[in-house]
Amino acid sequence: MTARIHRPSPSATQSGPGPAKPWVLEFENETPRELDPLMGWTGTSDAKAQIRLRFATKEEAIAYAERAALVYRVEEPKPGSPSRRIISYADNFKTQRVGQWTH
């Protein structure tokens, strides 16, 4: 069973960088998900797919995987969005403004 070590991306409702999220070790499914004929839900008989271990650093997660003799792969986080330029609403009414404020 392969473990995946990654840092989850922020949810869509978060706009700022916020605090750093911990590293997560998750197991990949060994069997495909099955469709329940009665309710239509998807599920799996693989109990390890429900386990999510959180670690403060990537090195701790890797050390755990090596101690437990797990096959793992590390997914580095994608670089974040470019830094935002902070402006205020009051800048629209500055006397030193280069162009006229038209709206």
Side-chain angles (χ1 to χ4, degrees), residues 27-72:
F27 293 99
E28 295 180 353
N29 289 335
E30 287 185 339
T31 59
R33 293 190 172 268
E34 303 162 352
L35 187 63
D36 181 65
L38 179 63
M39 299 298 292
W41 296 339
T42 56
T44 182
S45 59
D46 188 13
K48 284 189 177 180
Q50 300 175 9
I51 298 173
R52 295 186 69 173
L53 302 174
R54 289 177 174 77
F55 298 92
T57 63
K58 175 176 64 170
E59 289 76 22
E60 289 178 11
I62 292 172
Y64 173 80
E66 289 174 352
R67 272 194 321 266
L70 298 172
V71 177
Y72 66 91

Side-chain angles (χ1 to χ4, degrees), residues 58-96:
K58 175 176 64 170
E59 289 76 22
E60 289 178 11
I62 292 172
Y64 173 80
E66 289 174 352
R67 272 194 321 266
L70 298 172
V71 177
Y72 66 91
R73 74 171 195 272
V74 179
E75 294 179 2
E76 295 292 333
K78 295 179 182 174
S81 62
S83 62
R84 296 173 56 180
R85 194 181 91 183
I86 299 174
I87 58 173
S88 69
Y89 181 70
D91 289 344
N92 292 331
F93 306 102
K94 286 197 300 190
T95 56
Q96 295 89 11

